[in-house]
Amino acid sequence: MINPTKHHILKSAHPSPLSAFNGFFGCQHFSKTNALLVQQKKDPIDWSLGD
């Protein structure tokens, strides 16, 4: 179960082409997730797709 007092919840528009410009682009969920991981002394995620 998701508990907002124990879990970090990031909200935005759905990233589909029809609504991505209504809040998904620019929401910085990937960088916010990495910042939360670093705060918890965990390794950040490499979100790049690679070569």
Side-chain angles (χ1 to χ4, degrees):
M1 294 285 210
I2 298 172
N3 180 340
T5 61
K6 291 173 38 179
H7 302 104
H8 295 278
I9 301 170
L10 303 174
K11 297 180 183 181
S12 75
H14 190 277
S16 77
L18 298 176
S19 62
F21 288 102
N22 293 328
F24 181 77
F25 290 140
C27 70
Q28 300 179 335
H29 279 184
F30 301 107
S31 58
K32 288 178 182 179
T33 298
N34 277 346
L36 290 167
L37 289 169
V38 170
Q39 279 181 347
Q40 297 173 9
K41 310 260 190 265
K42 297 179 181 176
D43 292 332
I45 297 168
D46 179 1
W47 297 101
S48 64
L49 298 176
D51 295 330

